Amino acid sequence: MTGSNWTSLLQRMAPEVVTIIENRYKVLRQIRLLQPVGRRVLAEVMQSTERIIRREVEFLREQQLIDSNRAGMFVTQDGENMIEAFHPFWKEVGGISLLETEAASRLSVRKVLIVPGDADESEWTKDDMARQAAGEMSRILTGDMVIAVAGGSSVARMAQHVQPMEAIHITLVPARGALGEEVDLESNTVTARMARNMEAAHRLLHLPDILEEETLRNIQRDPGISGVLDLIQRARVLVHGIGDAEEMSRRRGLSEGIVHILKEKNAVSEVFGYYFNDVGEMVYRMNTVGMQMEHVHTLDTILAIAGGKSKARAILSYIRNRDNYVLVTDEAAVREMFALLESRE
C-alpha cells in the first residue's frame, strides 16, 4: 500500500490522529526554522497559545526530538530525521502534493516543489525554499559532474543548506561573471560557499558579467579564464533564481536607454542577463560572460528557485514549457500564477 493510500485511510478512520500528527509536525518544523527559539515567540509565530505550545513541546522533548539551551529550543538530529521522514506525509495531508502535481502540469515543467507561505512576508518561507532546493540538488547529482551556479539571494540561501556529497566527484563553477551587486550575492561568492559546504571542488570566474566582444576575445586567450569558461560549457546542472525585470535592471545599473527598451518591450523577468516578456519571449539579451541561454535547453537538469506572490508574474513568464526544469517555489506564488493563467483563458 502506498503512502498516499495510508494517509487516506488514516484521515477516514482516525482523523483526530492525523490532526495530532500534523500539529506536532508543524511545531517541530517551526522550531527548526526559528531555532534557537523560546515558547513565547513560537506561540506568537504559530498564532497559538503558550499552553498549547508547552504541551506539544514537552512531548517533543520527551521523544528527544528537541532540546534547549539558554538561547532557546532547537531540533536534535533525531528531530531532523523525523522531519525528513514525515515530510511526504505532511505534504499529502496538507494538499501540497496535489498542488505540486497540478503546477508541474500547468506550467509544463519536469517538477515543482512547493513550500507553504509567502516569501514576500516571511524569511522562514525563504529558508524553507532554500532547504528544499538543497535537498533536491543532493538527489539529482550523480557521478563526475559540473554544476553551474548563478548568484542572487535565493541561491545564496540555498548554499547555506547544502550538505557534503560523499562518493561522487563534482565541480562547481559560477554561471556568469560578476554582476556588481553585493559581494555575498555574487556568483563567485555563492559558488565558493556552496562548494565549501558540499566539500566539493570549484573554480571561479574573475571577470565582470558584461564585457565588450573584443575584450572578451583577448581575455579568453588566458588559460585560466578559458579553462573556467570551458567548464561552464560542460556543466550538466544549472542552479539559478528568477528575477523581476525592473528590479534587476536597477541592480545591474543599466542605462536609461536600455531601461526604456525593456519597458517598451514589456520585459517581465530576468535570468542571468536575459529578459523575457509575459509570454516567455526573449526581448533583450546582454553580452554576458558565462552560461548562454542557447545552452540551457541541452542541460540535464536546471534547478530554479523563486517565490513570493509579487514574483509570480516573473516566474510564470520564464518557466513555462521548460521540460528540464525543477522549480522550487512557495504556495503564494503558485496560487497567484494559477490566477494569472485563469485570467488569460
Side-chain angles (χ1 to χ4, degrees):
M1 184 174 291
T2 66
S4 161
N5 289 336
W6 276 116
T7 301
S8 178
L9 284 175
L10 276 173
Q11 287 174 324
R12 293 184 64 185
M13 293 292 291
E16 69 281 2
V17 172
V18 174
T19 300
I20 292 171
I21 293 172
E22 185 178 9
N23 288 341
R24 286 176 178 164
Y25 176 85
K26 286 180 178 178
V27 172
L28 185 61
R29 184 172 164 275
Q30 197 67 57
I31 291 172
R32 182 175 71 172
L33 291 172
L34 299 175
Q35 62 186 348
V37 61
R39 284 202 305 259
R40 180 175 299 176
V41 172
L42 184 62
E44 290 175 359
V45 170
M46 299 196 70
Q47 298 181 334
S48 185
T49 65
E50 282 196 66
R51 181 180 62 82
I52 292 174
I53 292 298
R54 181 169 57 249
R55 182 186 66 208
E56 300 297 357
V57 162
E58 287 173 357
F59 174 84
L60 295 174
R61 195 188 306 276
E62 288 172 3
Q63 299 301 311
Q64 299 182 334
L65 301 178
I66 65 169
D67 203 343
S68 61
N69 53 28
R70 290 182 178 180
M73 299 177 291
F74 58 89
V75 175
T76 64
Q77 186 56 55
D78 280 349
E80 292 282 354
N81 295 339
M82 185 67 74
I83 288 172
E84 295 306 315
F86 264 94
H87 188 68
F89 174 87
W90 171 78
K91 290 207 304 185
E92 190 74 31
V93 170
I96 296 294
S97 292
L98 288 175
L99 194 63
E100 289 175 338
T101 301
E102 182 182 2
S105 176
R106 296 182 71 172
L107 299 176
S108 296
V109 297
R110 181 184 298 171
K111 186 177 183 180
V112 177
L113 294 173
I114 301 171
V115 304
D118 185 344
D120 291 340
E121 301 176 355
S122 169
E123 291 296 309
W124 303 301
T125 299
K126 293 178 182 178
D127 279 338
D128 209 6
M129 285 169 49
R131 199 182 296 270
Q132 290 299 312
E136 181 64 16
M137 189 164 80
S138 70
R139 286 185 285 272
I140 63 179
L141 297 185
T142 58
D144 188 1
M145 184 178 284
V146 177
I147 301 103
V149 180
S153 59
S154 296
V155 184
R157 281 180 184 264
M158 174 187 166
Q160 299 172 9
H161 294 286
V162 294
Q163 301 293 322
M165 299 294 294
E166 299 178 358
I168 64 172
H169 176 72
I170 56 176
T171 302
L172 277 68
V173 292
R176 62 187 186 191
L179 176 61
E181 57 187 343
E182 296 177 41
V183 173
D184 284 349
L185 304 184
E186 291 283 8
S187 186
N188 271 334
T189 307
V190 176
T191 299
R193 185 182 302 126
M194 190 177 291
R196 181 177 65 247
N197 291 339
M198 296 177 72
E199 299 179 2
H202 72 283
R203 298 282 299 277
L204 300 180
L205 183 62
H206 298 292
L207 286 177
D209 191 33
I210 304 170
L211 288 173
E212 296 294 333
E213 288 188 20
E214 184 177 352
T215 303
L216 179 58
R217 282 197 298 269
N218 291 331
I219 289 176
Q220 284 177 328
R221 297 192 182 103
D222 181 280
I225 298 297
S226 62
V228 178
L229 293 176
D230 179 61
L231 277 174
I232 293 172
Q233 292 304 307
R234 288 167 49 198
R236 301 313 309 157
V237 174
L238 168 65
V239 183
H240 70 77
I242 299 173
D244 174 82
E246 184 176 349
E247 178 188 354
M248 291 305 299
S249 66
R250 287 197 305 268
R251 283 169 55 182
R252 284 179 178 271
L254 301 184
S255 68
E256 290 185 10
I258 296 177
V259 170
H260 177 74
I261 291 173
L262 294 175
K263 289 182 177 179
E264 192 176 58
K265 294 188 175 182
N266 299 314
V268 173
S269 61
E270 186 272 352
V271 174
F272 49 84
Y274 295 82
Y275 291 80
F276 300 83
N277 64 14
D278 255 331
V279 294
E281 297 170 336
M282 187 192 304
V283 295
Y284 189 83
R285 62 183 297 170
M286 306 190 72
N287 187 25
T288 57
V289 179
M291 180 67 66
Q292 302 298 310
M293 190 57 65
E294 292 82 0
H295 184 53
V296 169
H297 75 277
T298 70
L299 300 178
D300 296 336
T301 303
I302 301 104
L303 190 59
I305 317 159
K309 182 178 179 180
S310 67
K311 201 177 271 189
R313 186 182 172 206
I315 299 170
L316 185 61
S317 83
Y318 176 77
I319 203 70
R320 293 181 73 185
N321 302 312
R322 296 185 181 274
D323 58 9
N324 57 347
Y325 265 77
V326 175
L327 172 65
V328 181
T329 187
D330 60 31
E331 191 171 356
V334 169
R335 296 199 183 281
E336 181 65 14
M337 281 190 277
F338 285 178
L340 288 168
L341 288 171
E342 287 161 9
S343 70
R344 298 171 188 176
E345 291 175 354

